[in-house]
């Protein structure tokens, strides 16, 4: 027999490494799909235009080891070394879901006849039977002792055959899950060579199971008894590594380690043709229509062998049953019309026998079957367009179903596929419904509420992140089917959509502790559906489909019912405040959402804030809530976090952008934030939501403004500067509110001073950067923002060390101007009592030996000190006034002399003498004024200077040292 050869085209770059590659046709032979265990991508080729660039799917993080197409070619499944099994729409390639994960790499995938069941297996020796409609695991089959490399469903849906790397074949009965036949060592042991796999295949009629033999042959086994029937043995000189039945079951193609592909006539039991290749062919697929065989080798090169069967013989597709009967139930994946597919019914297709005696399909499925069959009767040239028609006939239902059933399909992708005019309501911290899987009803900074449906009811669990703080809450059985919840320290609230004949929605509140025995309560709304719930201090809120905001007390009293201006989007509570987001109007022509927010104070019965909610163009709202400090926050689908601040009478500040932070393979699911960190769960692409198991890990990300690239290259310092300003503004507002309420603000004063000190350190670093970058005007602007006296002195020393005397003089002038202004403002303030003044003067007089100039100053009449008064935007530590009075007066006496000495280091002797004379005169003239200024603590931001002396000095020294080192270089 003449050996022919054919040229192959590269589909995947394996970098010279032999790898297992896969190839398959779709139902109508309009597409070829390829993959490689050395390539993370999947390629969808047009066989009529092989030179065109294929459609590339890149969703796996490691090599793709297995492919499978549903019988009607609407769903593509892929398995990978990354342990995941993913589903895609076909032929478009749109990602659908991660339907399951394994602990080790995947090696084999297979759909059953109806496409309702997907079998997946790999190196962890277990086979998962997965319901493709809802993603539930129908059964796990265990019995192999080695990696499973091949799977094949019996065409009659009665058995599943599997083979492992050590040559063991198991035939499983699907209805019971039992292993009815175990054939050990009947196939070659492939060892650690993963470029080829042990495979097996059923004949199209389901009567025969073919397995590679130990004598470089193919052995046929009976479907029921597993007895050996016959073998195909010919010119293969090495073991067979792949085999494939022709569509009509008359021929078998085999590939061997000897780099040959043989075509066998099964009835005659002899090979009729062969091809020799440069590399081993690791996968083959017969063309469903026509006389051709697609092949791919271990180097990722593929090709189509045309006219495989001689024209004098029967075509490999001749005598096939009609396409209608071949796909008898017409099931379209992701388009199931049963509103709640049950896990218990997922095995119904497994018991179908060869005579079709299984339970008749429903009317809905029959109607779908007729639509599918009608499209297949059209001309071949129109068949490609006929498949979208089948899907589009129920497009709106499919999108709705995907939103409910596909937990990994995010709100953003749902909106892009449906393009609704207005965003639907959502509960912050909740994940989409995932039948058969546990999901989050609520996940916030305090804890989480999870639920899973089972046998018509749900099982709800409440967990706290810090188990030492939160109470221990027993799990509950949910007979209402709650889909949303909210959680705080005092209790939890649940709600469900409208259900039952009366179309009723239920709201239920469960306190964690109460003095009464029956403190739990519930409310029902007939013809009105709860959309969002929220909790606060002693109140519960629910927003309904009638645009009603209903507010209840903790005990269940219906307190308020307000009518909102538009449909609700979401809501969140914090202590006495409730924030609600609604649609302000229909979307703009650009599809941008038009949202507004309102903040209510429940205890006072007032509306504190109202305004437009900004979103990134083209985005929707994905999270909304309060920070730990009570700041209102929002996060959109473009990854931008905004916080509402009181600057400019209330503005939204962008404090985080995922596009500048995240890696391309990461998505951030927001949980909450505090003053400096964003708390989120990192989800790997394409997942947009976390799974309950394994338990999610919180990730902390730094808040940062989306700043432009600075000409100084000091974006980090500028960001710190802006964040400190924002925090000071927030603290000032809280101090004003507490003072208005007559509350003690000592703790806030301390917090504000610490932020001031940190801000001064940041400003000093910015000044150093400006000086090094020759941005002296900017440095002058910055020194005016310093709060503490020691910081201003440090800035003067810094620019003096940098040999910038003119800038040092400007800084000195700014300091003198500030002190003079504050001194003038103190003249009208009443003096302290004479006893206190005399006491302070005595302390200063006895503190140390004074110079002649200082002695003359002390001999003057005692100076009364005005009481502290808050008259500037900066903050002070009031408790430190008397404690540091002695040191502060001494420092003021020395301040201006020290400044002049620093400037004199870079001037000539005459300038130094002149500066000293002027300084001494000015010092004597303004001594009394400066003494008064020092004790006007609330107006003067320098009172903390003594307590931060060491810290500020070390900061200056480090900056000076850094500059000296730079100069030496």
């Amino acid at each position: 027999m003449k050996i022919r050869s054919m040229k192959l085209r590269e589909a995947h770059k394996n970098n010279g490494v032999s790898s297992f590659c896969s190839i398959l046709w779709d139902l109508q032979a309009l597409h070829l799909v390829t993959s490689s265990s050395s390539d993370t991508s999947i390629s969808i080729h047009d066989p009529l235009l092989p030179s065109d660039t294929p459609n590339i799917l890149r969703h796996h993080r490691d090599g793709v080891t297995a492919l499978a197409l549903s019988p009607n070619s609407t769903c593509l499944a892929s398995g990978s070394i990354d342990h995941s099994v993913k589903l895609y729409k076909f032929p478009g390639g749109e990602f659908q879901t991660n339907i399951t994960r394994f602990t080790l790499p995947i090696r084999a995938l297979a759909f059953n006849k109806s496409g309702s069941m997907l079998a997946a297996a790999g190196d962890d020796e277990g086979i998962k039977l997965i319901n493709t409609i809802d993603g539930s695991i129908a059964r796990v089959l265990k019995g192999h002792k080695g990696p499973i490399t091949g799977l094949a469903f019996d065409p009659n849906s009665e058995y599943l055959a599997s083979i492992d790397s050590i040559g063991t074949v198991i035939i499983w009965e699907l209805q019971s899950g039992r292993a009815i036949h175990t054939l050990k060592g009947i196939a070659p042991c492939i060892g650690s060579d993963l470029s080829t796999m042990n495979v097996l295949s059923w004949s199209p009629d389901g009567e025969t199971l073919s397995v590679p033999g130990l004598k470089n042959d193919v052995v046929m086994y009976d479907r029921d008894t597993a007895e050996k029937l016959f073998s195909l043995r010919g010119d293969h000189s090495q073991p067979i590594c792949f085999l494939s039945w022709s569509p009509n079951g008359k021929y078998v193609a085999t590939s061997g380690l000897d780099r040959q592909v043989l075509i066998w006539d099964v009835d005659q039991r002899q090979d009729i043709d062969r091809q020799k290749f440069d590399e081993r062919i690791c996968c083959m697929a017969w063309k469903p229509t026509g006389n051709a065989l697609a092949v791919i080798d271990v180097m990722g090169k593929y090709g189509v062998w045309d006219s495989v069967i001689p024209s004098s013989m029967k075509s490999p597709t001749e005598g096939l049953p009609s396409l209608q009967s071949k796909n008898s139930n017409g099931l379209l994946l992701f388009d199931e019309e049963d509103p709640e597919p049950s896990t218990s019914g997922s095995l119904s297709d497994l018991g179908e026998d060869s005579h079709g005696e299984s339970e008749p399909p429903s009317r809905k499925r029959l109607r779908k079957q007729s639509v599918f069959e009608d499209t297949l009767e059209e001309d071949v040239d129109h068949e490609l367009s006929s498949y979208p028609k089948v899907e589009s006939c129920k497009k709106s239902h499919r999108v709705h179903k995907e939103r409910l059933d596909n937990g990994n399909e995010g709100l953003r992708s749902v909106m892009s596929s449906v393009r609704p005019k207005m965003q639907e309501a959502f509960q912050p911290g909740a994940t989409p419904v995932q039948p058969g899987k546990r999901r989050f009803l609520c996940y916030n900074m305090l804890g989480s509420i999870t639920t899973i449906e089972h046998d018509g009811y749900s099982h709800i669990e409440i967990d706290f992140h810090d188990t030492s703080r939160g109470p221990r809450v027993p799990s509950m059985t949910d007979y209402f089917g709650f889909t949303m919840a909210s959680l705080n320290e005092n209790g939890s609230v649940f709600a469900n959509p409208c259900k039952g004949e009366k179309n009723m929605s239920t709201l239920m509140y469960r306190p964690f502790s109460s003095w009464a025995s029956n403190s739990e309560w519930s409310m029902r709304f007939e013809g009105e559906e709860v959309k969002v719930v929220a909790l606060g201090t002693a109140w519960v809120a629910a927003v309904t489909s009638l645009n009603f905001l209903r507010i209840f007390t903790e005990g269940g009293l219906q307190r308020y019912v307000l009518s909102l201006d538009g449909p609700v989007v979401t809501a969140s509570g914090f202590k006495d405040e409730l924030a609600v987001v609604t649609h302000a109007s229909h979307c703009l022509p650009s599809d941008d959402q038009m949202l507004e927010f309102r903040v209510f104070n429940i205890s006072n019965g007032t509306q504190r804030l109202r305004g437009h909610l900004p979103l990134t163009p083209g985005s929707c709202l994905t999270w909304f809530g309060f920070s730990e400090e009570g700041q209102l926050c929002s996060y959109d689908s473009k990854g931008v976090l905004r916080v509402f601040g009181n600057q400019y009478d209330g503005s939204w500040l962008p404090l985080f952008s995922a596009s500048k932070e995240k890696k391309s393979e990461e998505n951030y699911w927001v949980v909450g934030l505090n003053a400096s960190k964003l708390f989120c769960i990192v989800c790997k692409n394409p997942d947009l939501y976390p799974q309950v198991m394994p338990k999610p890990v919180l990730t902390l990300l730094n808040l940062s403004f989306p700043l432009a690239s600075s000409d100084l290259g000091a974006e980090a310092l500028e960001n710190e500067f802006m964040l400190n300003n924002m925090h000071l503004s927030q603290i000032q507002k809280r101090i004003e509110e507490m003072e208005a309420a007559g509350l003690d603000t000592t703790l806030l004063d301390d917090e504000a001073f610490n932020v001031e000190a940190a801000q001064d350190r940041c400003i000093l670093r910015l000044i150093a950067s400006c000086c090094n970058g020759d941005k002296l005007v900017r440095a002058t602007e910055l020194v005016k923002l310093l709060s503490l006296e020691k910081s201003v002195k440090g800035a003067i020393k810094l620019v003096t060390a940098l040999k910038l005397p003119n800038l040092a003089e400007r800084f000195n002038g700014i300091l003198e101007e500030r002190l003079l202004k504050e001194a003038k403002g103190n003249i009208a303030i009443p003096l302290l009592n004479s006893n206190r003044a005399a006491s302070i003067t005595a302390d200063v007089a006895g503190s140390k030996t004074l110079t002649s100039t200082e002695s003359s100053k002390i001999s003057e009449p005692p100076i009364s000190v005005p009481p502290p008064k808050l008259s500037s935007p900066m903050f002070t530590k009031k408790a430190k006034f008397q404690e540091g009075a002695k040191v502060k007066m001494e420092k003021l006496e020395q301040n201006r002399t020290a400044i002049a000495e620093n400037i004199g280091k870079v001037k000539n002797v005459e300038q130094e003498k002149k500066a000293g004379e002027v300084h001494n005169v000015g010092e004597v003239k303004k001594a009394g004024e400066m003494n008064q200024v020092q004790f006007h603590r609330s107006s003067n931001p320098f009172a903390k200077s003594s307590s931060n002396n060491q810290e500020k000095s070390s900061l200056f020294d480090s900056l000076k040292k850094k500059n000296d080192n730079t100069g030496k270089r």
Side-chain angles (χ1 to χ4, degrees), residues 444-486:
N444 58 24
M445 298 286 282
L446 181 65
S448 66
I449 303 177
T450 60
T451 183
I452 184 170
E453 185 179 352
H454 180 70
D455 291 343
Y457 61 90
S458 298
H459 183 75
I460 292 179
E461 293 184 356
I462 300 176
D463 298 298
F464 292 91
H465 303 317
D466 186 353
T467 55
S468 63
R469 290 180 54 191
R472 185 177 181 86
V473 182
S475 59
M476 61 176 281
T477 300
D478 168 25
Y479 296 98
F480 296 96
F482 294 128
T483 59
M484 66 196 81
S486 185

Side-chain angles (χ1 to χ4, degrees), residues 524-628:
R524 295 190 177 185
F525 310 97
E526 187 171 347
E528 181 181 1
E529 183 171 277
V530 177
K531 293 293 187 180
V532 182
V533 294
L535 276 179
T537 302
W539 57 265
V540 178
V543 189
T544 70
S545 56
L546 298 182
N547 299 343
F548 288 164
L549 170 58
R550 297 180 176 271
I551 299 174
F552 306 85
T553 64
E554 196 172 27
L557 176 66
Q558 301 189 56
R559 189 71 187 276
Y560 304 105
V561 180
L562 307 180
S563 188
L564 301 176
D565 294 344
V568 67
V569 177
T570 191
S572 182
F574 179 80
K575 295 184 178 179
D576 290 334
E577 294 190 340
L578 167 65
V580 181
V581 178
T582 60
H583 287 281
S585 67
H586 287 284
C587 298
L588 297 177
S590 59
D591 281 344
D592 289 338
Q593 301 288 327
M594 297 297 293
L595 308 180
E596 81 167 0
F597 72 98
R598 299 169 71 177
V599 179
F600 303 93
N601 188 299
I602 304 301
S603 61
N604 297 336
T606 59
Q607 178 176 285
R608 191 170 68 83
L609 292 171
R610 181 171 184 170
H612 174 69
L613 182 68
L615 294 174
T616 305
S619 71
C620 59
L621 186 64
T622 58
W623 181 85
F624 186 74
F626 290 87
S627 70
E628 288 191 331

Side-chain angles (χ1 to χ4, degrees), residues 833-846 862 882 885-886 889:
N833 62 70
S834 58
N835 292 336
R836 180 181 175 190
S839 173
I840 294 175
T841 305
D843 288 341
V844 174
Q882 295 183 4
K886 178 167 60 179
M889 290 187 65

Side-chain angles (χ1 to χ4, degrees), residues 747-763:
L747 293 178
L748 284 179
D749 288 335
D750 292 347
E751 181 182 352
F753 186 86
N754 292 334
V755 177
E756 276 186 357
Q759 180 73 317
D760 277 11
R761 290 193 293 270
C762 176
I763 291 175

